Amino acid sequence: MLYAIGTKVRLRFTGERGTITGILEDGMLMVRLENDPDFEIPTFEEDLSRDEAAEPVSAGAKFIMGKPEPKQEAPPARRIQSQYKILKPKGLQLAFEPMPGRDGTVSRYKVWLLNDTQEEFLMEFDLYTNSRDILVVDDKILANTALELGDFLSDDLNDAPEAFLRVRRITTAGLDEPLEHTLRIKPKQFFNSLLTAPILNVLAYQYVMLDSFTPQSTSSTEDLREYAKQQPRKRVAPVQNARPYKAFDPEALANFDPEIDLHIQHLINGYARLDKGEILRIQLQHAQRFVEKAARLGAPRVFLIHGVGEGKLKDALAAQLKDNPYVAKFKNEYHHKYGYGATEVIF
């Protein structure tokens, strides 16, 4: 390939554009980056490609003869097959193997599809961003095999990349119904997924794409729906006096704190000698008195803070609230202040 001072080039691994400003020894060239004109970097000739979209070099430019670049077909995708049966397979997984450069920084990843099961599949894979298709692969993946899909640049993480996988399991009876999954790759989740990849035995960023390959039957679901339609619904008799109290003291209601922390250290002193059963009984007593006071004052709702531990206190509270005639409903849903650690009681 011919290079000259003034030639417009691209860096193969980062996609950055630049201009050759000098010819160095040992097959290296000095390149001024287009996005930072004050910054020049030495680059190996094989790490560059001519920027075909740029303007041609002027006739007075000084050319040098580079290494010829033979035109050949892309090599077949690598397949690495494990000689051992994996005892706890995870299914079809997408793995991004970091490929450090000469300076140790990672600007690209080798993309693999891992199949640690005993099944074989026909697969369609597409990796794309908002602006371009990165990889499109149609192939067959064997059991206990890692299939190389191609390269993924780290810069593409900032362009909302998505991966689509569609497979059909190969069985003795033919091909199963297709299964598919779309993965949205977010940078924060990406860098938190570094694990040792099965079959490859290298560190890679991994995602499970499909972990179940048995076609789902809808007959049982339809039978249950039909059964439910045929069963008469029971009418529940209204609970006597099931109405909220009216506020008799507006000032007391205004000063009422609509939440109670039921962690034992916030309720009593000297709890270290109590066993779990005694602690639970005290927590339920405080919760009941608090709910009754709130209903008596006419509070519209309160929050019982129980935390997100083993769930025993939450379940005991639910059983207690279910039988309280002054409680219209209660729920344990995500709350911006308490997360899942509180039950909301509505009167």
Side-chain angles (χ1 to χ4, degrees):
M1 179 179 290
L2 293 177
Y3 287 112
I5 296 176
T7 301
K8 302 291 186 180
V9 294
R10 272 180 178 269
L11 277 68
R12 290 184 184 275
F13 297 132
T14 65
E16 293 178 284
R17 287 188 168 94
T19 304
I20 293 178
T21 58
I23 302 169
L24 308 177
E25 297 179 352
D26 299 326
M28 296 190 70
L29 304 169
M30 186 66 73
V31 178
R32 178 186 294 121
L33 298 181
E34 185 177 285
N35 58 0
D36 190 356
D38 297 328
F39 186 60
E40 296 184 352
I41 59 172
T43 308
F44 283 94
E45 180 185 330
E46 58 266 26
D47 292 338
L48 298 174
S49 63
R50 185 182 295 275
D51 189 354
E52 301 294 344
E55 296 181 0
V57 181
S58 63
K62 177 184 177 183
F63 286 91
I64 62 169
M65 181 64 71
K67 297 180 181 179
E69 186 173 309
K71 293 184 179 180
Q72 57 184 8
E73 295 183 359
R78 284 189 294 164
R79 301 173 191 269
I80 300 176
Q81 191 162 20
S82 173
Q83 302 300 319
Y84 305 96
K85 180 179 179 180
I86 298 176
L87 297 180
K88 294 183 178 180
K90 294 183 179 179
L92 292 174
Q93 305 156 67
L94 194 61
F96 295 82
E97 179 189 357
M99 306 298 290
R102 292 185 178 90
D103 58 355
T105 60
V106 177
S107 60
R108 68 185 180 98
Y109 303 86
K110 186 68 66 179
V111 186
W112 298 85
L113 183 64
L114 311 178
N115 176 19
D116 61 2
T117 73
Q118 298 300 307
E119 309 286 352
E120 296 184 355
F121 302 90
L122 294 181
M123 48 83 67
E124 303 171 22
F125 178 78
D126 191 4
L127 180 61
Y128 52 90
T129 67
N130 286 332
S131 57
R132 69 187 185 100
D133 278 332
I134 302 174
L135 296 171
V136 178
V137 180
D138 294 342
D139 210 326
K140 175 182 177 181
I141 184 165
L142 305 177
N144 287 333
T145 298
L147 175 64
E148 180 186 358
L149 301 177
D151 289 344
F152 175 73
L153 299 180
S154 57
D155 288 346
D156 288 324
L157 281 170
N158 300 317
D159 197 15
E162 293 187 4
F164 171 79
L165 178 66
R166 186 173 187 265
V167 300
R168 300 186 71 179
R169 185 174 59 165
I170 303 172
T171 68
T172 54
L175 294 176
D176 272 354
E177 291 298 315
L179 300 171
E180 59 185 47
H181 178 67
T182 300
L183 169 70
R184 293 183 178 179
I185 303 173
K186 299 180 180 180
K188 184 176 181 180
Q189 296 173 349
F190 180 87
F191 291 112
N192 286 334
S193 62
L194 187 63
L195 299 168
T196 300
I199 304 173
L200 297 175
N201 292 323
V202 298
L203 287 175
Y205 301 98
Q206 298 173 61
Y207 298 90
V208 176
M209 297 295 285
L210 292 167
D211 57 5
S212 177
F213 309 105
T214 303
Q216 297 181 351
S217 174
T218 59
S219 59
S220 59
T221 304
E222 293 174 354
D223 291 344
L224 287 174
R225 288 177 179 172
E226 191 63 29
Y227 173 81
K229 289 180 181 179
Q230 296 175 1
Q231 300 303 310
R233 296 186 179 182
K234 297 181 180 180
R235 293 184 175 272
V236 180
V239 179
Q240 296 296 325
N241 300 324
R243 62 181 185 276
Y245 284 105
K246 298 296 182 182
F248 66 93
D249 189 346
E251 184 178 355
L253 176 60
N255 295 324
F256 177 70
D257 187 358
E259 66 178 41
I260 181 173
D261 193 333
L262 295 174
H263 290 89
I264 191 64
Q265 62 268 30
H266 296 291
L267 302 178
I268 62 171
N269 296 321
Y271 58 88
R273 298 181 180 179
L274 301 177
D275 60 32
K276 292 183 178 180
E278 293 173 324
I279 290 175
L280 181 61
R281 178 176 55 81
I282 293 172
Q283 290 171 318
L284 292 176
Q285 288 176 349
H286 279 77
Q288 184 172 357
R289 288 198 294 266
F290 178 76
V291 169
E292 289 177 353
K293 179 180 179 180
R296 190 168 61 248
L297 292 177
R301 69 189 68 234
V302 294
F303 293 90
L304 308 180
I305 302 173
H306 46 67
V308 290
E310 298 177 356
K312 292 183 179 179
L313 176 56
K314 182 189 72 172
D315 294 340
L317 288 171
Q320 181 173 276
L321 293 170
K322 184 173 61 175
D323 297 328
N324 192 316
Y326 304 109
V327 175
K329 64 177 181 178
F330 60 92
K331 55 185 178 180
N332 176 230
E333 298 177 351
Y334 181 82
H335 189 276
H336 68 278
K337 181 178 179 181
Y338 312 106
Y340 290 101
T343 293
E344 181 181 6
V345 182
I346 302 172
F347 300 99

